[in-house]
Amino acid sequence: MYIRDTLSGQLKEFSSEDNKVKLYVCGITPYSTAHVGHARSTITFDVLRRYLEFIGFEVQHVQNFTDIDDKIIVKAREESISYKELSTRYMQEYIRDMERLNVLPAHKYPLATEAIPGIIKIVEQLIAKGYAYENDGDVYFSVRKYINYGQLSNRSIDDMIAGSRIEISEQKRHPMDFALWKASKPGDPSWESPWGNGRPGWHIECTTICLDNLGETIDIHGGGLDLVFPHHENELAQSESFTDKDPFVRFWVHNGLLNLQDEKMSKSVGNLVSIDTALEKYKPDLIRLFFLSAHYRSPLNYSDQALSNLNKGLDRLLAVLRIHPHTDFGQLDSSPFESKFIESMNDDLNTSQAVGILFELAHEINRAHLNNITVGEAQKMLKKLGGILGLKFNQSTSSGADLEDKVFDLYRQMSKMIEPSNDQGLSNLIACADSKSLDSMMDTLVAIRRKLRDANSYDLADWIRDTLAKLNLIIEDNPESSHWRWK
RNA sequence: GGCGACGUAGCCAAGUGGUUAAGGCGGAGGUCUGCAAAACCUCUAUUCGGCGGUUCGAUUCCGCCCGUCGCCUCCA
């Protein structure tokens, strides 16, 4: 498999020792509800992980929570609760949201606040080695000491200072220096350290958690494109300064950002769609399919139109999986689709192409079935390949609280309409309707319509079909048989 | 100002130095059907932002221009 590495800018063939993959994905700062942009990132790496596992790697997946930072402190104070209470709430929410999106849980979700002893050790070492300095309770990393600073984001210290709004801080020796440890203000959550009470800076928790959980060299480090600078740049600088080991990360992988009306979706802009909101409107499979329909590194515009369009496509796949295959005519060979799927995924996780292949396979299954060829194995293949993308292909079901009553009501209306016809068979069918079981009512309705259609009573047959359609119950008629399904 | 990405049909979106530029949605016609739905068949970009260059040949490589977006401050 080939993966694009941000640091080298190259497509590189992926391999690892003993077929084990150390995968570290930057998690969230839990101070507010997760949005669909977070979902895109998480799903990107979920698919990467699933695929690596599919091709035989053993993946160890670690994702952190940065559960202490300025915004958490501010927000907790606003709500008059502890930082812990606040961060716990949003961490739980996040985990639950991801579960709903069928994301495989990471093997570990380490917290920044639980890594503090390790953080302190690393900061002490960085000071001892001359990469960092303490000033009035703060500790800063000295970017000039790390000669490769800027390598990941491909920029030079001078250029960054020249163009823009770097805050000059009295405490720092160089404006680009960044905090490893921050002295805390009275009343803020704080931890004891050799430099007084304080808390970790933003990037050091990831370094520490990586080293503690995965070792000095990790195979894949992932996150959103907006983390390249400063987060990953700083993480890289401090990690390699600490370990003297190059590389810290073999593959830096970054996903493109999700836009809303061509503008990045972010907390600061406020143009957020929460995962919860998205899930109220769209099935998890659809949201995943939407993300995967574009390349993971490209920007992607979140829009209701795009999602709704894709929904028709998802319905196609679901319809194909509903086919009852013939059993006695040669099996459709779906292995070429698997090969093409793998080829696409091997090419830097080209999920867009892979999704295209799913549709091609679906089309082929429909064709084969029409020609009386058995498609059972091909259906399994479709499910299997979709599964690599984390698609569950759950058929729609919905049992509205009073749905049974509504369908039963339909019987009552029908019995009035039918009386004049004096058809004993029909009346018997109607009479045996069981208001408890939707399945049996639907089966009976299908049978009733059969009779009606045989008797050319199309008006009533159509009325039943239309009425059920309004309840999201679809009846499909074929010359020889009829079926019902959920919309 | 610096760095980077992108611009492919009505929309979403892959892709390639050269026979037919994936796939989905939408649209048109047809088959099937009592009708509808689903499915199937055919069609729907002589052309890949614009202008030059390299090349026998470029949408694909190079340069410039136009446009959109991202990063350089917290962000997945």
Side-chain angles (χ1 to χ4, degrees):
Chain A
M1 175 183 199
Y2 284 81
I3 302 178
R4 174 88 54 185
D5 164 47
T6 305
L7 178 56
S8 64
Q10 303 289 311
L11 214 54
K12 299 194 307 191
E13 182 158 19
F14 185 80
S15 62
S16 72
E17 262 178 58
D18 309 327
N19 259 21
K20 292 195 170 143
V21 180
K22 298 171 178 177
L23 171 66
Y24 183 85
V25 180
C26 273
I28 57 163
T29 300
Y31 72 98
S32 65
T33 297
H35 56 75
V36 281
H38 297 122
R40 183 185 189 195
S41 184
T42 308
I43 286 173
T44 297
F45 293 101
D46 181 56
V47 171
L48 176 59
R49 169 178 162 187
R50 284 171 187 269
Y51 187 65
L52 287 168
E53 288 176 347
F54 172 73
I55 58 180
F57 289 101
E58 190 186 318
V59 180
Q60 200 185 353
H61 177 192
V62 174
Q63 182 167 342
N64 73 297
F65 282 110
T66 302
D67 65 332
I68 185 69
D69 102 314
D70 287 343
K71 286 168 308 228
I72 291 178
I73 293 170
V74 170
K75 189 94 186 286
R77 186 172 296 139
E78 279 170 13
E79 298 191 21
S80 306
I81 55 176
S82 70
Y83 87 90
K84 194 81 192 163
E85 207 176 320
L86 184 92
S87 62
T88 303
R89 175 162 91 214
Y90 290 115
M91 286 189 279
Q92 285 172 346
E93 248 188 50
Y94 175 84
I95 301 267
R96 192 206 60 209
D97 283 347
M98 293 311 153
E99 225 175 74
R100 290 206 285 165
L101 289 169
N102 196 27
V103 169
L104 293 173
H107 299 102
K108 280 189 188 171
Y109 289 101
L111 307 185
T113 53
E114 286 173 357
I116 286 175
I119 289 172
I120 290 172
K121 268 184 212 147
I122 290 173
V123 175
E124 279 181 314
Q125 272 290 311
L126 285 169
I127 294 173
K129 288 174 128 180
Y131 286 109
Y133 56 90
E134 187 258 338
N135 191 344
D136 206 14
D138 291 341
V139 180
Y140 295 98
F141 186 89
S142 190
V143 294
R144 289 282 187 208
K145 291 274 163 53
Y146 180 70
I147 50 165
N148 289 326
Y149 194 77
Q151 60 182 332
L152 183 67
S153 54
N154 190 30
R155 55 189 87 194
S156 77
I157 295 174
D158 294 334
D159 286 343
M160 281 188 277
I161 293 168
S164 74
R165 338 157 261 225
I166 306 285
E167 268 183 60
I168 308 290
S169 159
E170 300 277 308
Q171 314 283 6
K172 297 182 188 176
R173 293 182 190 164
H174 185 281
M176 294 301 295
D177 289 353
F178 57 89
L180 297 169
W181 187 263
K182 293 171 139 178
S184 56
K185 299 186 197 81
D188 283 353
S190 70
W191 288 260
E192 281 178 28
S193 82
W195 320 283
N197 283 349
R199 59 191 170 82
W202 176 28
H203 321 292
I204 193 69
E205 84 285 15
C206 279
T207 290
T208 309
I209 290 168
C210 278
L211 296 174
D212 284 357
N213 291 280
L214 294 170
E216 294 187 338
T217 295
I218 59 182
D219 296 302
I220 299 175
H221 191 129
L225 214 47
D226 54 352
L227 293 183
V228 173
F229 190 92
H231 184 54
H232 288 161
E233 190 72 66
N234 292 350
E235 200 183 318
L236 173 59
Q238 70 201 184
S239 298
E240 289 190 358
S241 298
F242 172 72
T243 61
D244 289 317
K245 226 175 178 175
D246 179 5
F248 167 50
V249 169
R250 298 178 54 236
F251 286 79
W252 287 96
V253 179
H254 293 101
N255 65 276
L257 303 179
L258 192 65
N259 297 159
L260 193 65
Q261 274 147 10
D262 288 315
E263 195 176 13
K264 173 184 160 185
M265 187 178 292
S266 77
K267 291 173 183 172
S268 49
V269 182
N271 56 342
L272 301 178
V273 176
S274 73
I275 293 168
D276 208 55
T277 305
L279 280 168
E280 275 170 25
K281 285 173 147 174
Y282 310 111
K283 295 183 248 192
D285 272 3
L286 182 62
I287 293 172
R288 291 186 79 106
L289 205 58
F290 170 63
F291 291 146
L292 299 174
S293 69
H295 188 90
Y296 75 85
R297 224 179 307 98
S298 308
L300 181 63
N301 231 347
Y302 182 92
S303 77
D304 286 316
Q305 206 212 336
L307 267 304
S308 317
N309 282 170
L310 256 185
N311 194 231
K312 294 276 178 61
L314 178 58
D315 281 344
R316 265 171 80 79
L317 300 180
L318 291 173
V320 163
L321 293 172
R322 281 195 301 267
I323 292 174
H324 297 287
H326 309 291
T327 51
D328 46 355
F329 297 93
Q331 198 67 244
L332 171 64
D333 177 17
S334 57
S335 59
F337 294 93
E338 181 179 36
S339 308
K340 285 203 286 181
F341 182 92
I342 290 170
E343 205 179 306
S344 299
M345 295 294 276
N346 276 343
D347 181 16
D348 196 24
L349 214 66
N350 191 338
T351 54
S352 181
Q353 209 164 59
V355 167
I357 288 155
L358 255 38
F359 281 108
E360 285 176 24
L361 174 57
H363 185 232
E364 218 36 52
I365 292 173
N366 279 326
R367 276 168 56 96
H369 184 249
L370 262 182
N371 291 312
N372 293 318
I373 294 167
T374 308
V375 296
E377 293 304 313
Q379 286 174 305
K380 280 184 198 156
M381 179 64 81
L382 180 56
K383 273 208 96 150
K384 175 177 130 185
L385 299 180
I388 296 170
L389 303 178
L391 301 173
K392 284 176 133 171
F393 295 127
N394 287 333
Q395 298 291 345
S396 303
T397 55
S398 63
S399 36
D402 53 350
L403 192 66
E404 275 92 350
D405 292 344
K406 283 180 181 161
V407 174
F408 192 63
D409 195 49
L410 193 131
Y411 277 92
R412 251 180 273 142
Q413 295 181 51
M414 208 164 40
S415 60
K416 284 179 204 155
M417 294 179 183
I418 237 153
E419 254 167 333
S421 79
N422 236 352
D423 182 321
Q424 197 53 45
L426 270 180
S427 303
N428 287 345
L429 274 172
I430 292 167
C432 72
D434 171 7
S435 65
K436 295 284 188 312
S437 163
L438 185 69
D439 281 318
S440 82
M441 281 195 288
M442 288 303 294
D443 290 345
T444 308
L445 281 170
V446 168
I448 289 170
R449 285 189 70 259
R450 185 83 243 163
K451 269 184 153 299
L452 289 168
R453 290 169 66 216
D454 287 345
N456 288 335
S457 300
Y458 293 119
D459 284 352
L460 187 52
D462 290 350
W463 174 81
I464 295 170
R465 192 174 59 194
D466 294 346
T467 308
L468 289 172
K470 286 175 193 149
L471 301 171
N472 283 338
L473 295 159
I474 305 300
I475 289 187
E476 294 185 343
D477 289 330
N478 290 305
E480 65 284 356
S481 66
S482 297
H483 299 283
W484 74 273
R485 64 175 172 89
W486 292 93
K487 189 178 180 179

